Amino acid sequence: MAPRFATAHLATHNKAEAGLSQKLTSLPDEFLFIDENTRGILSLQRVAEALTKITHLGVSSPVADVLFDTAGMRYGT
């Protein structure tokens, strides 16, 4: 399931204190949802950054494999 980007700003700019970030409730399901959704958002951002850098190098660049690996894609296999 794709992360819900409606919570992206809250999730990625919510500074944790003593290992806990701020939540609207104290329900365990909310903690699980926010934490997993944030992981999904950060992963998609990492992939997008890697793919953007590939366009500057070119897909046939001998060093593009590093970026393809970061994006979770294999080039030429």
Side-chain angles (χ1 to χ4, degrees):
M1 179 175 155
R4 296 181 184 179
F5 283 100
T7 61
H9 184 77
L10 173 66
T12 58
H13 292 80
N14 188 358
K15 187 175 180 180
E17 293 181 14
L20 294 174
S21 54
Q22 296 176 358
K23 306 288 192 278
L24 298 174
T25 70
S26 60
L27 297 172
D29 289 345
E30 182 190 7
F31 280 71
L32 179 64
F33 173 80
I34 295 293
D35 292 346
E36 293 305 314
N37 193 57
T38 303
R39 285 185 178 91
I41 291 166
L42 295 174
S43 295
L44 286 175
Q45 288 174 342
R46 183 177 66 236
V47 168
E49 289 171 7
L51 293 176
T52 300
K53 290 176 183 175
I54 287 172
T55 62
H56 298 294
L57 290 174
V59 295
S60 61
S61 171
V63 296
D65 63 325
V66 174
L67 297 170
F68 281 117
D69 285 343
T70 298
M73 307 165 90
R74 293 284 176 194
Y75 180 68
T77 58

